[in-house]
């Protein structure tokens, strides 16, 4: 188990549950990294509503999820189990940039003003890949050395 605090666009994403079970969490990070390194041209690269902003796409996919959840799940990012259960995140790679529109939905939330608005983090796709890789590698190394120190 480890405490993991994740932030995007200045918002604390793991505010409801920041204690992770390392094998599960590392696997989830690896799944996101696999998607992030897939070739450009994947259907997930562009928003499903190309003439709308990433934030507008996020709104629309959440709205449509009540009737057809496939579109939301297809573009969902940060599906990390209980650690990220309080936030809905989508990912789009557009012209070398990663857009991560997200919104909080669980009440009560530590900051009631964050319920409702959609935020959008933006970074280069390479920075996203590097961040995911470093996080997974660091947590894996910590897990390995802890097990080794305990004789496991």
């Amino acid at each position: 188990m480890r405490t993991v605090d994740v932030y995007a666009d200045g918002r604390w994403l793991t505010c409801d549950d920041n204690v992770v079970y390392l094998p599960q969490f590392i696997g989830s990070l690896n799944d996101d990294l696999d998607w992030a390194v897939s070739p450009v041209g994947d259907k997930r690269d562009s928003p499903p509503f190309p003439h709308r902003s990433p934030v507008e796409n996020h709104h629309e996919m959440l709205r449509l999820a009540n009737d057809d959840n496939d579109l939301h799940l297809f573009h969902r990012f940060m599906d990390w189990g209980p650690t990220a259960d309080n936030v809905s995140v989508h990912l789009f790679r557009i012209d070398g940039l990663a857009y991560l529109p997200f919104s909080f939905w669980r009440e009560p939330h530590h900051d009631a003003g964050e319920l409702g608005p959609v935020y959008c983090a933006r970074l280069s796709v390479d920075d996203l890949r590097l961040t995911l890789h470093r996080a997974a590698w660091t947590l894996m190394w910590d897990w390995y050395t802890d097990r080794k120190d305990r004789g496991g």
Side-chain angles (χ1 to χ4, degrees):
M1 302 296 271
R2 282 286 182 275
T3 299
V4 175
D5 289 312
V6 178
Y7 291 82
D9 198 34
R11 308 290 174 195
W12 184 25
L13 302 183
T14 54
C15 55
D16 284 1
D17 182 0
N18 63 347
V19 178
V20 301
Y21 176 63
L22 285 175
Q24 176 274 322
F25 192 76
I26 292 165
S28 294
L29 286 174
N30 192 55
D31 289 344
D32 280 350
L33 182 58
D34 283 347
W35 183 88
V37 298
S38 67
V40 172
D42 186 290
K43 288 168 67 175
R44 293 181 178 161
D45 281 344
S46 57
F49 310 103
H51 300 295
R52 296 183 185 173
S53 71
V55 166
E56 292 168 327
N57 270 270
H58 178 80
H59 268 296
E60 188 65 12
M61 285 190 286
L62 291 179
R63 188 186 69 74
L64 293 172
N66 293 329
D67 297 322
D68 180 5
N69 207 25
D70 290 343
L71 186 61
H72 162 67
L73 294 176
F74 186 71
H75 290 277
R76 185 169 181 192
F77 191 69
M78 281 185 50
D79 188 10
W80 297 345
T83 305
D85 273 355
N86 68 319
V87 63
S88 295
V89 183
H90 295 105
L91 172 62
F92 308 110
R93 295 183 302 191
I94 305 169
D95 297 328
L97 294 175
Y99 293 86
L100 292 97
F102 64 93
S103 57
F104 298 98
W105 59 268
R106 183 180 289 156
E107 294 184 41
H109 185 66
H110 78 281
D111 181 348
E114 290 182 342
L115 289 172
V118 175
Y119 304 95
C120 190
R122 186 182 83 178
L123 66 162
S124 76
V125 171
D126 287 341
D127 284 345
L128 176 64
R129 291 173 180 150
L130 186 60
T131 299
L132 290 169
H133 175 76
R134 284 182 176 163
W137 181 253
T138 299
L139 291 172
M140 186 61 131
W141 183 252
D142 287 351
W143 183 43
Y144 170 78
T145 56
D146 281 355
R147 290 175 53 97
K148 184 177 170 197
D149 290 345
R150 288 184 303 197

